[in-house]
Amino acid sequence: GAGAMAAALSRVPEVEIDGGGVFKYVLVRVRAADGPGKDVVRGHGWAEYHADLFERTAEELAQQGLVCECLGGGRVSHRPEERKIHVYGYSVGFGQADHAVTTEKLKAKYPDYEITWADEGY
């Protein structure tokens, strides 16, 4: 029921990104059926296209009864040795994610990092 859905939603990590490098990311709204949603960040170097990231995420979460909608994409430059993350760019297919939202979520996961974003760049 709704309780189980809410529990499944609460278990979805807000941020999953690679430990370093430059890679594409997507901002995804995850919802339980008819329920509230939350936005999550997924960024990985294996993805050639933003759609690859979104489809993998949607498939995994569909198994838990959760519905996904892609809010846009961009790129992440993650430099762990400098404790810096920069969010920029856009997705041709999904449009540009709200990098400000992404940045806030990254700050929550990496509180000791300097995290910046810019609208320009690809």
Side-chain angles (χ1 to χ4, degrees), residues 50-95:
H50 288 92
D52 298 337
L53 287 168
F54 175 65
E55 285 164 14
R56 170 89 56 100
T57 303
E59 279 172 19
E60 288 174 1
L61 295 176
Q63 293 166 4
Q64 301 166 48
L66 300 172
V67 181
C68 291
E69 169 194 359
C70 191
L71 302 179
R75 287 174 187 257
V76 171
S77 168
H78 184 185
R79 301 200 295 276
E81 66 285 350
E82 298 172 44
R83 293 195 176 286
K84 285 184 179 175
I85 295 177
H86 185 60
V87 182
Y88 65 100
Y90 61 92
S91 160
V92 174
F94 296 118

Side-chain angles (χ1 to χ4, degrees), residues 3 9 16 22-23 26 36 43 48 65 68 70 79 100 103-104 107 110 114:
L9 185 65
E16 285 182 355
V22 176
F23 43 85
V26 289
E48 189 177 350
C68 291
C70 191
R79 301 200 295 276
T103 298
E104 287 308 306
K107 282 179 177 171
Y110 299 95
E114 178 190 333

Side-chain angles (χ1 to χ4, degrees), residues 9 15 23 40 45 47 49 65 67-68 88 94 105 109 117 120:
L9 185 65
V15 173
F23 43 85
V40 303
Y49 301 103
V67 181
C68 291
Y88 65 100
F94 296 118
K105 294 188 175 294
K109 170 142 186 174
W117 65 274
E120 65 276 0

